[in-house]
Amino acid sequence: MKQFNIQPLDRSMQAAIQQKIDNLNKPKGSLGRLEELAMQICLVQQTLTPSLAHPCHLLLGADHGIEREGVSVSPRDVTWQQMINFTHGGGGVNMFCRQHGFKLRIVDVGVDHDLSAVPGIINHKIAWGTKNFLYEPAMSEAEYEQAIEIGASLADECIAEGCHVLCIGEMGIANTSPSSIWMSLFGDIPLADCIGAGAGLDKPGIRHKIEVLSKALDNYQAHHRGISPLRYFGGFEMIAAIGAMLRAAEAQVLVLVDGFIMTACAVAAIRLCPASQDYMVFTHCGDESGHRMMLDIVGARPLLSLGLRLGEGTGALCAFPIIDSAVRMMNEMNNFASAQITKYF
C-alpha cells in the first residue's frame, strides 16, 4: 500500500501565534473557536499570516454492491443521475462551491454507469461499483490500493494549483451502510446504534438495514477477519477520500471533513495515520443517527449542527465562512499597539 509520511504539527511557533492572537484588539479569548481555528491553521501552514488560497472540492462518486439488498430508499441509478446533474451546476454542492469560490472536481471512481463521455466528469473508474459485502469483500487488494492512489493523485492536482484547503464530498447510494459498520468496528459501538435512515428509510426499512448489515458483519468476523475492514466494506469513493485526506495532510494542507460518510473516512484515515487528524477540521454534526458518537471516537468538536444529511461535502462548504473568519481575524484585525488602544484585559 502507498505510504504517507505525515508529521505531527510543528508547535515551535505556538507561543508566537498565541501572542499575536492575544494582542489583537479584543478581550483575550473573546473570539472563542475562531481563535482555536486560527491557531490550528497557522500551525498547519507554519505562518502568522495564513491563507485559504485556491480552495478545492473533490466530489467522488461510486456505487455499492450492498445496495442490492435494499438498504437504501434510493436506487443506485440516482448515483449516476446526480453525477450528471452536478455537471449542469444543479446540485447542492454546486451552489455552495459557487458561493464560496471552491474549484469543483467531479470524479467517477466506480459508478455503475458509463459516464466516460459526459463533459465535466473526470474518469477514474476502478470498477462498476463494489461487490456485495454481505457475501464477499467489497473490493480486492489491488482495487483498494488503486482507490488510495487515485485519491492521493487528485489531492496532488489541487496542491499543484496552489490549494491551501481541501474539501471532499461523496455521491454513492447506500454508502451510509459501510460507514455504519466502520463506526461500529472503530468505535466498539453496537452496530444497531450506528445505523440510521440514510437518505430517508422508514422504521421497517431501518430494521431491514440492521438485519442485513448485522449478517454482513457476522460473516466478516466469522470468516474474513484477516481482511482490512476498509476494503471489505468500503466504497471506492470512500477509499479514494481517505487517500486524498492522507496526501493533503502529508502536504500540510487543511482538510475540511463533511458529514457521516466523510467522518467515517476521516476516522479510518486517523487509524492509518494518527497525525493526519492535526490537519482536519470537522465541520458539522449531521442528522444521521450516530454521527455524534462517531465524532466522539476521535474527540472531534464540529463547528456546525444544522441537521444536514445531504452529503456531497455540503456541510463542510457551509462551514467555510467560519474558517475564513478565523483567517481574516489573523490578517485583518488591528492589534492594541497599532490601534492605539490600551489593553483592557
Side-chain angles (χ1 to χ4, degrees), residues 154-166:
L154 289 166
D156 274 331
E157 291 174 12
C158 297
I159 294 162
E161 295 172 354
C163 172
H164 287 184
V165 54
L166 183 65

Side-chain angles (χ1 to χ4, degrees), residues 22-204:
D22 289 345
N23 280 285
L24 298 173
N25 56 341
K26 59 175 181 57
K28 188 175 181 180
S30 61
L31 284 177
R33 288 293 300 279
L34 294 185
E35 298 187 22
E36 296 175 23
L37 277 171
M39 173 62 75
Q40 180 185 6
I41 296 166
C42 287
L43 288 173
V44 166
Q45 298 183 4
Q46 290 293 291
T47 181
L48 294 172
T49 55
S51 166
L52 298 176
H54 194 67
C56 289
H57 187 90
L58 301 177
L59 193 288
L60 308 172
D63 279 303
H64 294 251
I66 195 65
E67 177 270 341
R68 302 297 191 193
E69 302 300 323
V71 294
S72 173
V73 70
S74 302
R76 67 173 50 205
D77 284 354
V78 172
T79 303
W80 69 260
Q81 292 165 359
Q82 274 285 48
M83 292 289 281
I84 292 175
N85 180 47
F86 297 146
T87 69
H88 299 155
V93 66
N94 302 98
M95 172 184 66
F96 292 126
C97 281
R98 287 193 297 268
Q99 180 183 6
H100 302 306
F102 275 72
K103 180 174 180 178
L104 174 62
R105 282 177 167 84
I106 305 166
V107 188
D108 172 9
V109 288
V111 178
D112 189 12
H113 191 82
D114 186 2
L115 299 171
S116 59
V118 179
I121 295 181
I122 300 168
N123 183 14
H124 281 299
K125 192 189 298 289
I126 298 167
W128 302 83
T130 55
K131 296 180 178 65
N132 187 342
F133 64 64
L134 180 59
Y135 308 107
E136 60 183 321
M139 64 188 75
S140 68
E141 186 70 29
E143 289 171 332
Y144 172 83
E145 293 179 3
Q146 186 180 355
I148 289 282
E149 290 279 1
I150 287 169
S153 69
L154 289 166
D156 274 331
E157 291 174 12
C158 297
I159 294 162
E161 295 172 354
C163 172
H164 287 184
V165 54
L166 183 65
C167 186
I168 308 168
E170 42 64 38
M171 183 63 229
I173 295 302
N175 59 12
T176 60
S177 291
S179 301
S180 297
I181 291 180
W182 285 0
M183 174 184 169
S184 177
L185 291 172
F186 296 150
D188 194 23
I189 299 168
L191 180 60
D193 293 342
C194 304
I195 296 172
L201 287 172
D202 57 15
K203 288 183 179 179

Side-chain angles (χ1 to χ4, degrees), residues 66 69 71 132-136 177 181 185 191 209-224 232-233:
I66 195 65
E69 302 300 323
V71 294
N132 187 342
F133 64 64
L134 180 59
Y135 308 107
E136 60 183 321
S177 291
I181 291 180
L185 291 172
L191 180 60
K209 185 176 179 180
I210 291 171
E211 290 173 3
V212 170
L213 298 189
S214 296
K215 289 178 183 177
L217 185 55
D218 288 345
N219 184 42
Y220 168 73
Q221 291 177 327
H223 304 291
H224 305 282
Y232 193 94
F233 298 106

